[in-house]
């Protein structure tokens, strides 16, 4: 339980009751009962053995059928109908005509603003707001970073390059402070940087004081250590060895054994060593500069990518207006909330899915 809460920087403690009502073991049990076996992979992430997300969806559809739940599709709900402070139904549109559905209870589980292709367009916030609920500022989380100018040109040049087993940190250059550090995979794109380490770091940067201003002023940097297994001295020794083996080669042809092809031109440019220079005439100072470029390969970032590209939405319905034991609104009787529409969000690793399962179960239970 503590592990789960510690992975939810956005109001984790609010979820204690929900997580106890329906745990990670409960969802695994439910999937198995519907014929879906699971496996645990790196970082304790749980996946269906088939690697098909559709199997999980089918298991849920199977559960709906088992309980004779009526599912209505291609209907757009516009408003939740209330009688003073009590839910009485929903107002929806089907084929251009309005229909009213009576209901004593309504669960609003429309997701955030991320992944609009799934129908998650932010409509739920509007419906809740109409009924007097407060919406905490909506921001993208678990999202790639945008670059500008020279940095953007470099990223475009390296587009598609996926770096494995690198060490990275996100730094505040103004305070000379590390905001986040990670080890793993990073991807260069046509707009900047992405990949698992970047997505994880965005949840931290999002909450960092003055991050918006610092990004605008070019004071947030992603520092990549391209050779984390080698200390600076050992890397220097390795470069000397490589150069000795190919001492008649030009510098531009000498880094193939050390670095991925796409990054070499950028590293050479940043080292300011003449690409035509023979490696046996490269000075100690130039080698030291090369070591620094490899160990501190900095990318200045200018912004988060748009919320439509985020994996999850940070912000949503204020938790002070929801009963954490039942997920019922404290403002409207019979109105409940579940999932990403609530102002709770977690780091990557399945935690956001578990929030959806646990709050959904709790709302359903009551």
């Amino acid at each position: 339980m503590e592990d789960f809460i510690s992975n939810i920087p956005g109001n984790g403690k609010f979820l204690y009751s929900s997580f106890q009502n329906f745990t990670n073991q409960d969802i695994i049990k439910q999937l198995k009962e519907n014929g879906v076996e699971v496996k645990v992979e790196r970082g304790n992430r749980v996946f269906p053995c088939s690697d098909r997300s559709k199997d999980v969806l089918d298991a849920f559809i199977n559960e709906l059928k088992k309980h004779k739940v009526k599912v209505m599709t291609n209907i757009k709900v516009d408003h939740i109908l209330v009688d003073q402070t009590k839910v009485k139904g929903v107002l929806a549109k089907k084929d251009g005509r309005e229909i009213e559905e009576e209901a004593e209870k309504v669960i609003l589980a429309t997701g955030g603003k991320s992944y609009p292709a799934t129908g998650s367009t932010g409509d739920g916030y509007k419906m809740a707001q109409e009924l007097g609920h407060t919406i905490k500022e909506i921001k993208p989380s678990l999202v790639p970073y945008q670059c500008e100018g020279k940095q953007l040109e470099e990223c475009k040049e390296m587009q598609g390059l996926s770096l494995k087993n690198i060490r990275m940190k996100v730094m505040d250059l103004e305070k000379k402070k590390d905001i986040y550090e990670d080890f793993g995979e990073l991807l260069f794109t046509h707009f900047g940087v992405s990949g698992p380490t970047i997505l994880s770091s965005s949840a931290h940067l999002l909450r960092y004081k003055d991050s918006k201003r610092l990004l605008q002023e070019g004071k947030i940097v992603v520092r990549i250590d391209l050779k984390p297994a080698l200390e600076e001295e050992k890397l220097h020794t390795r470069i000397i060895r490589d150069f000795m083996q190919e001492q008649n080669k030009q510098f531009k042809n000498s880094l193939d054994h050390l670095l991925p092809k796409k990054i070499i031109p950028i590293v050479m440019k940043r080292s300011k060593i003449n690409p035509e220079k023979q490696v046996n005439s490269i000075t100690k100072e130039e080698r030291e500069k090369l070591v620094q470029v490899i160990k501190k390969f900095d990318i200045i970032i200018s912004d988060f990518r748009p919320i439509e590209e985020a994996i999850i939405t940070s912000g949503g319905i204020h938790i002070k207006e929801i009963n954490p034991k039942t997920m019922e609104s404290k403002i409207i009787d019979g109105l409940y909330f579940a999932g990403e529409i609530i102002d709770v969000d977690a780091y990557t690793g399945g935690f956001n899915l578990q929030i959806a399962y646990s709050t959904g179960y709790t709302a359903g239970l009551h």
Side-chain angles (χ1 to χ4, degrees):
M1 193 62 67
E2 292 309 318
D3 280 350
F4 269 87
I5 302 300
S6 70
N7 273 282
I8 301 163
N11 298 320
K13 291 193 171 117
F14 171 78
L15 295 162
Y16 263 113
S17 295
S18 291
F19 278 161
Q20 273 159 344
N21 286 337
F22 194 78
T23 68
N24 52 337
Q25 295 308 316
D26 290 326
I27 182 66
I28 287 167
K29 181 168 170 276
Q30 189 180 39
L31 289 171
K32 280 185 175 170
E33 283 168 1
N34 284 283
V36 181
E37 292 296 323
V38 301
K39 58 182 176 177
V40 180
E41 290 192 358
R42 189 176 63 83
N44 283 329
R45 286 161 162 79
V46 181
F47 293 98
C49 290
S50 65
D51 283 323
R52 280 159 38 100
S53 58
K54 189 178 182 296
D55 292 351
V56 176
L57 182 62
D58 289 344
F60 291 158
I61 291 169
N62 192 38
E63 197 74 22
L64 289 170
K65 285 176 180 165
K66 221 189 292 182
H67 295 285
K68 298 184 170 55
V69 174
K70 183 183 174 188
V71 177
M72 299 162 75
T73 57
N74 297 317
I75 297 174
K76 185 177 184 292
V77 176
D78 285 326
H79 306 280
I80 293 163
L81 302 171
V82 296
D83 183 5
Q84 290 169 342
T85 60
K86 190 169 173 15
V87 158
K88 66 169 190 175
V90 294
L91 185 68
K93 275 196 190 80
K94 182 172 172 65
D95 304 327
R97 61 187 179 86
E98 278 195 345
I99 52 169
E100 269 189 38
E101 282 285 331
E102 283 184 24
E104 287 178 15
K105 314 254 175 176
V106 169
I107 301 177
L108 197 54
T110 51
K113 273 204 85 167
S114 324
Y115 284 127
T118 62
S120 179
T121 55
D123 289 3
Y125 302 130
K126 183 170 69 71
M127 287 183 232
Q129 220 163 6
E130 282 174 353
L131 301 176
H133 274 283
T134 310
I135 309 299
K136 298 288 277 185
E137 190 187 355
I138 303 304
K139 295 178 185 173
S141 187
L142 304 185
V143 67
Y145 295 137
Q146 177 81 44
C147 295
E148 281 176 5
K150 187 181 154 202
Q151 304 282 310
L152 179 58
E153 291 312 309
E154 288 186 342
C155 288
K156 280 181 177 174
E157 220 177 299
M158 296 182 283
Q159 183 181 342
L161 171 61
S162 178
L163 297 174
K164 306 249 191 328
N165 304 322
I166 50 95
R167 186 161 293 289
M168 63 78 83
K169 51 183 165 184
V170 177
M171 298 167 69
D172 170 354
L173 295 179
E174 187 173 272
K175 291 196 181 112
K176 296 184 173 46
K177 187 179 171 189
D178 295 350
I179 299 167
Y180 178 79
E181 198 167 331
D182 204 352
F183 182 88
E185 205 171 316
L186 182 146
L187 174 72
F188 292 104
T189 72
H190 65 285
F191 55 73
V193 280
S194 187
T197 57
I198 292 293
L199 298 179
S200 296
S201 74
S202 69
H204 295 258
L205 183 57
L206 178 73
R207 293 173 168 81
Y208 188 68
K209 194 172 182 284
D210 283 344
S211 63
K212 201 171 183 178
R213 173 183 67 80
L214 292 163
L215 282 164
Q216 285 169 347
E217 292 173 7
K219 287 174 182 167
I220 299 287
V221 71
V222 173
R223 175 163 288 174
I224 307 162
D225 182 348
L226 297 168
K227 288 286 169 190
L230 297 173
E231 295 297 320
E232 285 186 16
E233 208 174 306
K234 283 188 176 164
L235 179 57
H236 199 165
T237 308
R238 160 83 192 266
I239 290 168
I240 292 169
R241 196 181 69 222
D242 285 2
F243 284 1
M244 279 175 73
Q245 283 170 353
E246 304 176 342
Q247 49 188 306
N248 294 321
K249 266 194 177 179
Q250 291 175 308
F251 178 53
K252 65 181 178 186
N253 300 321
S254 67
L255 298 174
D256 291 357
H257 297 305
L258 192 64
L259 297 166
K261 210 175 182 64
K262 269 192 174 178
I263 208 169
I264 292 172
I266 313 291
V267 168
M268 286 197 305
K269 219 180 292 175
R270 291 187 179 195
S271 74
K272 295 187 168 64
I273 301 169
N274 181 350
E276 310 297 324
K277 197 171 186 177
Q278 284 195 309
V279 291
N280 59 4
S281 60
I282 289 175
T283 65
K284 186 187 177 194
E285 288 72 25
E286 287 175 322
R287 284 197 309 269
E288 280 171 354
K289 173 74 172 136
L290 179 60
V291 167
Q292 288 305 308
V293 170
I294 292 169
K295 296 294 280 180
K296 294 173 182 173
F297 191 86
D298 288 358
I299 302 282
I300 296 166
I301 53 174
S302 58
D303 206 350
F304 298 100
R305 287 295 281 172
I307 197 161
E308 290 75 18
E309 292 176 36
I311 290 179
I312 57 154
T313 305
S314 173
I317 292 160
H318 202 312
I319 56 165
K320 286 191 173 156
E321 298 168 357
I322 303 169
N323 180 339
K325 289 190 164 66
T326 62
M327 292 293 129
E328 187 175 15
S329 162
K330 290 179 180 177
I331 296 170
I332 304 291
D333 293 343
L335 175 63
Y336 295 77
F337 302 103
E340 214 172 314
I341 193 166
I342 304 166
D343 180 24
V344 286
D345 64 284
Y347 299 138
T348 180
F351 301 104
N352 292 290
L353 283 170
Q354 190 61 47
I355 291 171
Y357 301 147
S358 298
T359 55
Y361 183 88
T362 301
L365 199 63
H366 292 93

